[in-house]
Amino acid sequence: MQYKASSPEDYISQVPEERQDVLKTLRKTIKANLPKGFEEGIQYGMIGYYVPHSKYPDGYHCTPEEPLPFMSFASQKNSINLYHSGIYAVPEIHDWFVNEYPKYSKYKLDMGKSCVRFKRINDIPMELIAELCTKLTPDQWIDIYETNLKKK
């Protein structure tokens, strides 16, 4: 579902009430564990974490006026989705996440290229997400992004 929000707090206030506490916990987990240098805001209609223009002036190559996206989450119709660029761009992080997930959840992993879908919203493995957040600094993400951009 798409929400017209101006801030993370505004976004959370618009989702169904039964999801608000889970989103607040997810947000708190990400903010507590994401390395310094990422900023939080609304990006692409979701709560996003990105490398600000002050650190990476080029922004996102598709839309340079947007800061370089890194991680986000959204409340969708049937799930809460977490998007993490490192899972998509770094095979070691992808493999680590896939291997660790069963240690934190008894449910099958529902995952796309960079998207992890949580259909059982009260069983989101916050400890695993906390650890995932620590895997890349903004500088590491910029290096990975630029290396992959040169390959295109």
Side-chain angles (χ1 to χ4, degrees):
M1 297 180 67
Q2 197 76 337
Y3 297 97
K4 299 283 184 203
S6 59
S7 69
E9 294 84 5
D10 186 27
Y11 183 97
I12 291 172
S13 74
Q14 293 180 43
V15 302
E17 194 173 331
E18 64 273 8
R19 290 180 174 218
Q20 290 181 10
D21 285 343
V22 173
L23 292 180
K24 287 176 186 175
T25 301
L26 181 57
R27 179 180 179 220
K28 183 178 177 182
T29 299
I30 293 169
K31 287 177 68 170
N33 291 283
L34 209 56
K36 270 190 162 174
F38 289 108
E39 285 187 5
E40 178 190 56
I42 298 297
Q43 194 173 37
Y44 305 107
M46 301 178 276
I47 297 176
Y49 302 87
Y50 45 81
V51 180
H53 281 110
S54 60
K55 183 157 189 64
Y56 190 68
D58 291 351
Y60 185 47
H61 73 280
C62 296
T63 47
E65 62 277 3
E66 284 285 335
L68 180 61
F70 176 65
M71 185 174 185
S72 59
F73 64 91
S75 178
Q76 302 294 345
K77 183 178 178 183
N78 296 313
S79 60
I80 291 176
N81 294 355
L82 177 75
Y83 303 87
H84 189 278
S85 296
I87 286 177
Y88 176 72
V90 183
E92 295 82 9
I93 293 175
H94 172 274
D95 295 347
W96 168 83
F97 189 84
V98 169
N99 289 327
E100 288 296 308
Y101 186 85
K103 298 174 187 175
Y104 293 86
S105 179
K106 60 185 175 186
Y107 302 106
K108 183 180 176 198
L109 178 59
D110 183 357
M111 188 168 134
K113 289 183 179 182
S114 72
C115 173
V116 183
R117 291 171 286 275
F118 299 104
K119 292 184 178 145
R120 292 174 179 87
I121 64 167
N122 294 317
D123 291 310
I124 296 175
M126 298 295 178
E127 289 177 26
L128 180 61
I129 291 169
E131 194 171 344
L132 174 64
C133 289
T134 68
K135 295 291 182 186
L136 293 173
T137 66
D139 289 331
Q140 289 170 316
W141 174 233
I142 291 168
D143 289 345
I144 291 163
Y145 174 76
E146 288 184 340
T147 299
N148 287 335
L149 199 56
K150 288 175 188 170
K151 290 178 183 177
K152 291 183 177 188

